[in-house]
Amino acid sequence: MTENILEVRDLVKHYPVTRGIVFRKTIGHVKAVDGVSFELKSGETLGVVGESGCGKSTLARVLMNLERPTAGSVHYKGQDISRLSGGALRRLRRQIQLVMQDPYTSLNPRMTVGDLIGEPFEIHPEVAPKGSRRGKVKELLDLVGLNPEHINRYPHQFSGGQRQRIGIARALALRPEIIVCDEPVSALDVSIQAQVMNLLEKLQAEFGLSYIFIAHDLSVVRHLSERVAVMYLGKIVEIGTEDEIYERPTHPYTQALLSAVPVPDPTLRDNKAIIRLTGDVPSPISPPSGCRFRTRCWKAQDACAEQVPLLEIRSGSDHPSACHFAEKREIVATHEA
Amino acid sequence: MSDILVSEQSATGADGSGRPSGRLLEVEDLRVEFRTRDGVAKVINGVTYHVDAGETLAVLGESGSGKSVTAQTIMGILDTPPGFVTGGQVRFHGKDMLKMSAEERRRIRGEGIAMIFQDALSALNPVFTVGFQIAEQFRVRRGMSRADAKKRAIEMLDQVKIPNAKGRYSNYPHQFSGGMRQRAMIAMSLALDPEVLIADEPTTALDVTVQAQIMDLLAELQRERRMGLILITHDLGVVADVADRIAVMYAGRIVEEANVYDLYAKPAHPYTLGLLDSIPRMDEKGQQLRTIKGLPPNLMNIPPGCPFNPRCPMAQPVCREKLPPLLQIGSGRASACHFAEELVNRD
Amino acid sequence: MSDPSTASIVSTPPSTNPNEVGAPTDAGLPGNARKEKPRGLLGDAWRDLRRKPLFWISAFFILIFVVMAAFPSLFTSGDAVNGTLANSRVGPSGDAWFGYDVQGRDVFARTIYGARASIVVALLSVMGTLLIGGTLGIIAGYRGGWVDALLSRFADIFFGLPFVLGAIVILTTFNGADSSNSEWQIMALVIMSLSVLGWPVVMRLMRSSVLATKEADYIVAARALGAGTGRIILKHLLPNCLAPLLVYGTILVGSFIGAEATLSFLGIGLKTPVVSWGIMISEAQNYIRVSPYLLFFPAAFLVTAVLSFVMLGETVREALDPKLR
């Protein structure tokens, strides 16, 4: 079934910048997410990549209803969930869950693993009757590759990779349909990353989960995602299948990003199409007019400052790209593993 | 006692200064332990490596491998207690730094060997301007006047490609972006023209486009100054791009040493092989990630024999009994595995 | 009552990342796995406390004082309230180890019975302070915004009141020289005034603790699961914010023992026929030169009690400090 399980339309999240302590005056807005639209199909993984300040973490929070959007909508199976509250919001949470980045701070240090994984059942008592909860927690521990006998241990007695598994077990407890993964492997060692990535894949196959996988590591994202969205300064600049994005990138930023990723193959050292961006990322409080990337783009023309390029399919590109001069360029020489 | 690889450089200082010297910087059989109230952790267990002028040695390892502690010991900034050096030598131009007085070591720090860190925010003092901190090096160590020191500091900021160096001289660290701060830290460490630069995960906290810029900068500065660069990292992509030689560390020892091409093409240690197999590559489709099962060892209780044996897919009984020494297995290659030859000669 | 030493008590627990530490304490957990007993952070803290001799010494004294307060007859059979004038200011001897006071009462008996008033008042006052300050601190820290601004300004007003002066004003109003309050009424008044003047510090402590913890990832995770405000505060915030309060509260008991003594000495706190160390010290002030033992014994007990609580607080703080782990 490839229906859309999640539809995001023109999502906006601005944070006010205030001055003063007692009487606050708003002097500007941090435009963290500034008009983002995409779909998530059932059972697929949508990767969201971008560098710091692009808004992907804010996007995660808004999708999880941890923040109210300033504008726009998020539709889950046809229902607008962006403005829910109370009991309806609580019930929604059973369907969309979160795995966080830092395994060392995302688990309450004073709760046992059993309490941590069992908490979803306490908050949503209708999911599992009281007597069955402990059994379910042990099942979950086993599912993520941990020893169910360790149910009474505390987080600090586990390694980083194991703690991340606990976080995944907790997210899985209510059998959600969508899991938002906010940089789930960035804080882990290289050899542990692979373990957790394989676990996420296995769980997706077993439970038909849909993932929104947010990360800055382009290699990790390619490995796990069917489709990828590239974000820059609060907007999606390019979106497509992983083939399209990695083999036929059309937006200059995507191209620069891909060319900057070092590939673990020394023989490719001198052959790289290296695009070096100049300048710093502009402040999200006052992003450039028109196309936000124009201040660092080698293709920038006057039109770029005047007209905001929309994310749509263009003549130079077989997938949506937000550039007036979108043009295919091969950066990554893909081969079969 | 591990065999020391012979480098192409002659033993009498190739810098032409005529100084009688060994290699530029050499660590030999270094041993460090951490004494905590829960026990003693053997963090470094006989590490030997060297770096020569103009070359880049990458020290590759994950957390707990001891790569950062080795660097801290070289710089003399190891926290003592709980860290204690229990053996080995660290030779700079042939002289053992561990036996030098604190005064001598301090002189070498900055002028002979400098270090940059992962987090520029904690390396730079937040209450002084960046320019002031760089100029201070010139004032204190070279006795320059304030005006001269300021001039040189601005030159350094220019060299690390910070735009508007003159204006940014009086900015505070928090006013710089992450990449710019890293450049400022590089400027500060290179102010006194060190011969060796140790970079401890310099780009791990940076965005990938900024990472590329910083690595480029380091390569350029190294070329200009003929510096030896020790790059400490866990990022196999960065290493492939910039390293000349690589030392792979695990549980406080070097398990493999090779030039960069050999290491990636034909790893000679199961750990290296496991690492290479477990990283996703951006240019590959349909990859199956093979993982290294298990966890790194508890350094307070390292298993007998090869420390990697509980996780090694090729482990045999001998691996649990005998610690494999780091042995040469070809020109410029060494591996600490009983079955290194078999591994290299596979298909 | 502002207390600069509280600045060091609030410490945000850092993420213990083995990347930063040379000796990874949680790598290779199979080693630890052999110990089957779960060890929470409190369990770890207890393990540390057990090893400190200072903890045992202060705990020992506190235990003695508490037993003294609860069962004074275990320590003495003397009469703390009545005496024979014939014994007025007779020095320490075999019959009366601490001698007799001006009214001929057994000083030893009075000192033992005095523990009750001092300790009870101090303990109840601390509980009151922690309750008021803690609750207001949680509300201010969690809600933020104008609620926080309002409560913080409110606390500032109380901060501005000099402690002793404030206590004097409150107590002279309600407990003046001419009033005839019963023993329990007087105690309640003293407890109330100490709590009312002491809560701002606790509120500040709790508030900064909450502010630091509020944005922690695990709180976000709890919200993402659908946890309501009550659950978050009680199950997630409170257990992680209590440590500074525990430490400060322990030290505060010592502080309040001294405070009560001060107030009683000034004549506005507890009054005869209640026995407390403060009252005894007050009564001794005219006879310091001639019968120094009248001052010495209650003062020694007072100082020991105060010190014991302060030391206990110090050791607990060290044991709970995540940075030292």
Side-chain angles (χ1 to χ4, degrees), chain A residues 28-333:
Chain A
H29 286 93
V30 175
K31 303 184 174 60
V33 174
D34 209 15
V36 161
S37 308
F38 62 86
E39 295 92 31
L40 177 70
K41 300 202 198 330
S42 178
E44 80 164 346
T45 303
L46 172 71
V48 178
V49 289
E51 301 183 294
S52 45
C54 71
K56 53 192 198 296
S57 291
T58 309
L59 179 65
R61 291 177 87 110
V62 175
L63 288 175
M64 285 302 302
N65 260 301
L66 291 167
E67 309 253 12
R68 268 275 134 100
T70 312
S73 67
V74 179
H75 281 82
Y76 167 70
K77 287 185 169 172
Q79 187 202 9
D80 187 351
I81 59 170
S82 51
R83 283 162 183 84
L84 286 181
S85 61
L89 179 57
R90 195 183 60 82
R91 273 187 297 279
L92 171 76
R93 297 215 179 277
R94 288 167 44 189
Q95 308 305 336
I96 308 186
Q97 268 305 308
L98 177 68
V99 173
M100 305 183 75
Q101 173 177 3
D102 191 341
Y104 297 95
T105 57
S106 57
L107 303 175
N108 187 334
R110 303 210 188 256
M111 287 170 71
T112 63
V113 161
D115 288 337
L116 284 163
I117 301 180
E119 192 173 16
F121 298 124
E122 288 189 23
I123 299 175
H124 304 263
E126 66 271 18
V127 173
K130 234 172 157 156
S132 68
R133 283 178 201 167
R134 202 168 165 80
K136 282 199 185 303
V137 170
K138 288 194 168 186
E139 231 180 86
L140 284 161
L141 279 171
D142 187 48
L143 210 55
V144 298
L146 292 172
N147 186 345
E149 298 307 311
H150 293 171
I151 192 172
N152 287 325
R153 294 216 177 155
Y154 286 87
H156 71 277
Q157 293 172 276
F158 292 88
S159 72
Q162 291 173 323
R163 286 190 221 200
Q164 202 65 326
R165 291 170 190 266
I166 296 171
I168 293 173
R170 175 175 63 184
L172 208 51
L174 301 171
R175 293 283 186 273
E177 294 188 316
I178 303 176
I179 298 190
V180 176
C181 306
D182 190 358
E183 308 255 23
V185 296
S186 313
L188 303 175
D189 271 331
V190 171
S191 60
I192 309 292
Q193 281 188 13
Q195 290 179 4
V196 175
M197 282 200 280
N198 283 353
L199 173 65
L200 285 171
E201 270 185 309
K202 175 187 104 157
L203 292 171
Q204 181 175 41
E206 196 166 328
F207 295 103
L209 299 166
S210 314
Y211 289 148
I212 295 188
F213 193 88
I214 297 173
H216 65 269
D217 187 331
L218 286 143
S219 322
V220 168
V221 167
R222 180 166 200 184
H223 180 76
L224 282 177
S225 315
E226 279 96 38
R227 286 167 56 234
V228 177
V230 180
M231 282 188 74
Y232 183 79
L233 218 52
K235 285 186 182 295
I236 296 184
V237 295
E238 192 168 353
I239 186 168
T241 65
E242 51 103 1
D243 269 355
E244 287 164 356
I245 298 287
Y246 285 86
E247 291 171 31
R248 300 187 286 281
T250 56
H251 192 284
Y253 176 63
T254 314
Q255 293 165 353
L257 202 58
L258 288 171
S259 77
V261 176
V263 177
D265 188 344
T267 58
L268 298 176
R269 249 185 216 194
D270 306 311
N271 303 345
K272 284 171 41 143
I274 299 172
I275 304 172
R276 292 286 178 255
L277 292 178
T278 52
D280 272 337
V281 183
S283 157
I285 298 180
S286 49
S289 64
C291 172
R292 297 175 173 210
F293 185 61
R294 64 177 173 82
T295 56
R296 308 168 78 199
C297 183
W298 63 95
K299 285 184 178 176
Q301 312 274 339
D302 288 334
C304 302
E306 292 153 19
Q307 236 193 333
V308 176
L310 297 173
L311 184 67
E312 55 194 17
I313 300 191
R314 298 167 182 275
S315 55
S317 157
D318 56 0
H319 53 272
S321 181
C323 176
H324 295 304
F325 304 103
E327 194 187 332
K328 200 173 59 175
R329 187 166 168 175
E330 196 198 27
I331 308 282
V332 179

Side-chain angles (χ1 to χ4, degrees), chain A residues 50-53 159 161-162 188-198 201 216-220 222-223 242-243 246-247 253 256-270 272 274 276-281 296 332-337, chain B residues 61-64 67 168 176-177 179-180 204 206-213 216 234-244 260-262 264-265 271 274-296 311:
Chain A
E51 301 183 294
S52 45
S159 72
Q162 291 173 323
L188 303 175
D189 271 331
V190 171
S191 60
I192 309 292
Q193 281 188 13
Q195 290 179 4
V196 175
M197 282 200 280
N198 283 353
E201 270 185 309
H216 65 269
D217 187 331
L218 286 143
S219 322
V220 168
R222 180 166 200 184
H223 180 76
E242 51 103 1
D243 269 355
Y246 285 86
E247 291 171 31
Y253 176 63
L257 202 58
L258 288 171
S259 77
V261 176
V263 177
D265 188 344
T267 58
L268 298 176
R269 249 185 216 194
D270 306 311
K272 284 171 41 143
I274 299 172
R276 292 286 178 255
L277 292 178
T278 52
D280 272 337
V281 183
R296 308 168 78 199
V332 179
T334 305
H335 55 270
E336 289 292 323
Chain B
E62 299 177 291
S63 52
K67 56 193 197 300
R168 306 219 75 176
F176 286 75
S177 70
M180 290 291 153
T204 302
L206 300 174
D207 283 327
V208 73
T209 48
V210 180
Q211 172 176 294
Q213 291 172 359
D216 275 352
H234 62 269
D235 189 335
L236 282 151
V238 168
V239 168
D241 249 5
V242 306
D244 296 313
V260 64
Y261 298 100
D262 284 340
Y264 280 81
Y271 176 60
L275 275 184
L276 288 168
D277 275 347
S278 70
I279 48 171
R281 285 181 58 154
M282 195 178 59
D283 56 349
E284 276 186 4
K285 277 188 67 103
Q287 228 185 338
Q288 282 284 67
L289 291 181
R290 270 194 293 271
T291 63
I292 308 179
K293 67 175 201 280
L295 294 167
R311 311 172 71 189

